[in-house]
Amino acid sequence: MEPDPVAVGASSSPPAASPPRQLPPPGDDERGAGECADAARPDQRASGGDPNDAPPPSPASAAPQPSPQEPTGEDTAASCEVEQEQEKEKEKEVVPGVGEALRIFMEEFGEEDNTLTLSPLLKEITTPDGAAALRFLGGKYNSILERYKQQVAKCADQCEPRYDDLKKKYTDECAERKRLYNELIELRGNIRVFCRCRPLSSDEITRGCSSVVEIDSSQENELQFVPSEKERKAFKFDHVFGPKDDQETVFSETVPVVRSVMDGFNVCIFAYGQTGTGKTFTMEGVPENRGVNYRALEELFKISEERTTSVAYTFLVSILEVYNEKIRDMLDESNDQSKRLDVKQSADGTQDVAGLVEAPVYNIDGVWEKLKFGSRNRSVGSTNANELSSRSHCLVRVTVKSEHLLTGQRSRSQMWLVDLAGSERVGKTGVEGDRLKESQFINKSLSALGDVISALASKHSHIPYRNSKLTHLLQSSLGGDCKTLMFIQISPSSTDSGETLCSLNFASRVRAVEHGPARKQADPAESLKFKHMVF
């Protein structure tokens, strides 16, 4: 039988020697394992096919031995296996079971999508696998954070309309409650009392003075008087303004009373408190931060412009002061000190000052000029309580005349804006001579005001209005058909705690006064015309 040519060719020609391969570097387990597998299969790589297709070599034709410089396939595979075993032994000696700890760590965080709790297994991963665990943890954190942001955005989209609707309902409810409360106060005829507390001055802070007044911003009607840790007394008013409330905030609560003047009601707004508590600042203000007087008249002109097509308004302004129980006209350019002014009762039963200058004003700029002129003529002096203390009661009277263009109905109403002198004790001011005399007259008039308030609160049959020029002027405001608002100005300083307590007690008595509902005021000339028509 002829020999198989394929077998003969295979046995006669020596196989091509494989080029020498470099051993994998230590630690490169994956590549080293692949190369070792290739070295274990030299016959498959040489033949280019399946080793089962090639016949086994005959014994007569032995394969040529490789040169000593070239390692055989079996030697290379054995060498790779030995090195891999050595590397595994080294890893086991450093940290046993590191790969298993990383797998458990990743499985633990992969099971729950809505929870991220730091695993103690992370502390066990101290080899290079720790970096992979941290990268996995960071990716998990970013995924949860992104899902959280999406849920927040979705919740905001769903809840924002409901929040806006509830907020509007709450605001409307508060406004309605306040409106009904104001109507109740008007029906009862109470004097509304607003309390305003100034901030501690830099000098008081330097001297170590503490605050004896506590105001909770959520409780707009209440304050706490705390002169010591063991003493605490609560006071309630119609509104309480803290040191952070500005002039605009204060006036916004005053607007409803001011607007009543344009509807034919008499209005009186006055500030009471010791020297240095900010009475003049609240009522007059400064050019860059004006007070109630200027803002009230600005509001009147604003309403007049809004109603110009239906109602014609005329505004007259008078400014006077009560100084040492004498009435002085602040708009009298002649400055005639001998001019005697007194309080008289007019035909309609209200109090009036005959001969008082009534200056017509047509816009807010004209009003400001009149107010500045009157302020320059006001009596001021220096005391221990204030370098420029008001030594008189300053009263601004605004007369509003209106005529309805369609019905012809006329009305005449007045608004009094009163800045009272300081109410502190004489001993605290440290005054002598003329200043002492001024203080005595101031305290006398304020005591008369206190007597009137007490009599009104107790509903006495006799009210001592004539005990002072001040109370006589304010008779219609305190006990007549008038809407009255009082600002009680207090100091938070511990050095003024005595005066602060007196002011708070006085304001509480004022708030208890009920003088009946206010009534619209008709023009006296109009009433006289109707009387002539009847008779």
Side-chain angles (χ1 to χ4, degrees):
M1 179 181 296
E2 294 180 359
D4 190 354
V6 176
V8 172
S11 59
S12 60
S13 60
S18 300
R21 299 178 62 87
Q22 297 180 353
L23 293 178
D28 198 347
D29 301 335
E30 194 173 14
R31 189 176 60 186
E35 292 179 354
C36 292
D38 292 341
R41 295 189 297 272
D43 52 347
Q44 182 179 355
R45 192 174 64 252
S47 62
D50 192 338
N52 295 328
D53 296 337
S58 61
S61 58
Q65 296 295 325
S67 61
Q69 290 80 9
E70 286 186 341
T72 62
E74 289 83 356
D75 295 338
T76 304
S79 175
C80 288
E81 290 177 0
V82 171
E83 290 182 1
Q84 288 180 4
E85 291 297 330
Q86 291 177 353
E87 291 295 331
K88 290 181 180 180
E89 291 296 332
K90 290 181 180 179
E91 290 180 359
K92 289 182 180 180
E93 290 177 1
V94 176
V95 180
V98 169
E100 183 67 13
L102 177 60
R103 183 185 64 79
I104 296 174
F105 171 77
M106 297 175 69
E107 287 180 354
E108 179 179 336
F109 281 102
E111 291 176 357
E112 297 291 339
D113 291 337
N114 58 349
T115 305
L116 182 59
T117 306
L118 186 60
S119 172
L121 295 174
L122 186 61
K123 299 179 180 180
E124 300 179 6
I125 306 176
T126 57
T127 63
D129 288 340
L134 290 176
R135 285 194 300 272
F136 171 78
L137 185 62
K140 196 72 175 177
Y141 169 78
N142 293 334
S143 174
I144 294 176
L145 185 62
E146 184 63 27
R147 186 164 61 251
Y148 167 76
K149 290 180 179 179
Q150 294 175 358
Q151 292 176 351
V152 170
K154 182 179 179 182
C155 181
D157 293 339
Q158 294 176 351
C159 297
E160 188 172 1
R162 294 181 58 191
Y163 169 76
D164 292 339
D165 183 57
L166 291 174
K167 183 179 179 180
K168 183 179 182 302
K169 289 181 179 179
Y170 173 76
T171 304
D172 294 343
E173 183 66 25
C174 288
E176 179 66 12
R177 178 176 61 84
K178 194 168 188 177
R179 184 187 67 81
L180 294 174
Y181 172 76
N182 289 336
E183 288 185 1
L184 176 63
I185 292 298
E186 290 177 3
L187 291 174
R188 292 173 59 188
N190 279 34
I191 300 176
R192 280 180 248 188
V193 179
F194 290 170
C195 179
R196 189 178 190 185
C197 179
R198 67 165 176 81
L200 284 171
S201 65
S202 56
D203 180 63
E204 290 170 338
I205 296 174
T206 303
R207 289 187 285 114
C209 299
S210 60
S211 176
V212 296
V213 178
E214 292 182 1
I215 299 175
D216 186 356
S217 57
S218 63
Q219 301 292 331
E220 62 180 20
N221 300 332
E222 184 177 338
L223 66 82
Q224 301 283 333
F225 178 70
V226 191
S228 64
E229 295 180 358
K230 297 181 180 179
E231 297 180 67
R232 179 179 293 270
K233 188 175 182 180
F235 291 89
K236 289 188 176 181
F237 303 105
D238 295 284
H239 199 99
V240 175
F241 299 101
K244 295 182 180 179
D245 291 319
D246 56 13
Q247 298 280 66
E248 184 177 355
T249 303
V250 172
F251 183 71
S252 65
E253 296 293 331
T254 315
V255 168
V257 178
V258 172
R259 287 178 176 171
S260 301
V261 182
M262 304 297 283
D263 298 327
F265 292 92
N266 287 335
V267 167
C268 178
I269 303 174
F270 65 99
Y272 178 94
Q274 73 174 101
T275 298
T277 54
K279 299 185 301 299
T280 303
F281 178 74
T282 295
M283 298 305 296
E284 297 183 9
V286 292
E288 63 274 9
N289 197 8
R290 290 166 176 166
V292 172
N293 292 2
Y294 180 90
R295 294 173 185 268
L297 285 155
E298 188 178 41
E299 184 68 20
L300 297 187
F301 281 109
K302 177 183 176 182
I303 297 174
S304 175
E305 292 178 1
E306 293 174 353
R307 302 179 183 178
T308 186
T309 57
S310 58
V311 184
Y313 288 99
T314 303
F315 299 96
L316 304 171
V317 174
S318 301
I319 304 177
L320 64 149
E321 72 171 354
V322 178
Y323 176 73
N324 291 353
E325 282 301 298
K326 295 179 181 179
I327 299 176
R328 298 170 58 180
D329 191 344
M330 310 294 288
L331 294 182
D332 187 0
E333 296 183 1
S334 65
N335 198 20
D336 186 4
Q337 299 294 333
S338 62
K339 183 179 179 180
R340 182 177 177 82
L341 300 174
D342 206 352
V343 183
K344 303 292 183 180
Q345 187 167 344
S346 61
D348 59 350
T350 61
Q351 283 64 45
D352 195 11
V353 181
L356 191 66
V357 173
E358 289 187 314
V361 290
Y362 307 99
N363 50 52
I364 191 61
D365 293 331
V367 170
W368 185 243
E369 291 300 322
K370 297 297 181 185
L371 293 177
K372 286 194 299 183
F373 182 82
S375 297
R376 287 195 297 267
N377 293 334
R378 188 177 182 184
S379 300
V380 296
S382 176
T383 69
N384 288 347
N386 195 352
E387 184 177 354
L388 289 176
S389 174
S390 301
R391 310 309 296 159
S392 65
H393 309 298
C394 182
L395 298 88
V396 177
R397 187 182 69 182
V398 182
T399 302
V400 181
K401 296 180 179 180
S402 67
E403 180 180 0
H404 201 284
L405 300 179
L406 298 178
T407 64
Q409 183 180 6
R410 297 179 180 180
S411 66
R412 182 178 183 271
S413 56
Q414 291 183 339
M415 177 173 65
W416 286 95
L417 303 168
V418 185
D419 177 15
L420 297 176
S423 61
E424 66 278 350
R425 298 185 300 269
V426 175
K428 188 175 180 63
T429 58
V431 292
E432 298 177 353
D434 291 341
R435 295 289 175 261
L436 177 60
K437 183 180 178 181
E438 292 169 352
S439 298
Q440 290 172 345
F441 276 113
I442 290 171
N443 289 338
K444 178 184 176 181
S445 60
L446 293 176
S447 296
L449 178 62
D451 293 339
V452 168
I453 295 298
S454 298
L456 289 170
S458 303
K459 300 185 183 299
H460 288 173
S461 57
H462 173 68
I463 311 298
Y465 291 113
R466 294 177 179 269
N467 287 357
S468 169
K469 294 289 179 65
L470 174 66
T471 53
H472 201 183
L473 275 170
L474 297 179
Q475 179 175 345
S476 300
S477 302
L478 297 175
D481 302 327
C482 183
K483 295 184 178 182
T484 306
L485 169 62
M486 184 182 81
F487 283 101
I488 177 69
Q489 301 279 154
I490 61 173
S491 165
S493 176
S494 54
T495 58
D496 299 327
S497 59
E499 283 75 15
T500 298
L501 181 60
C502 290
S503 297
L504 292 173
N505 288 331
F506 177 77
S508 298
R509 294 199 306 271
V510 172
R511 191 167 181 255
V513 173
E514 297 181 11
H515 52 52
R519 293 182 300 180
K520 272 192 174 183
Q521 304 297 313
D523 191 338
E526 191 79 1
S527 301
L528 184 62
K529 182 179 69 173
F530 284 125
K531 286 182 181 180
H532 287 309
M533 291 175 62
V534 171
F535 294 104

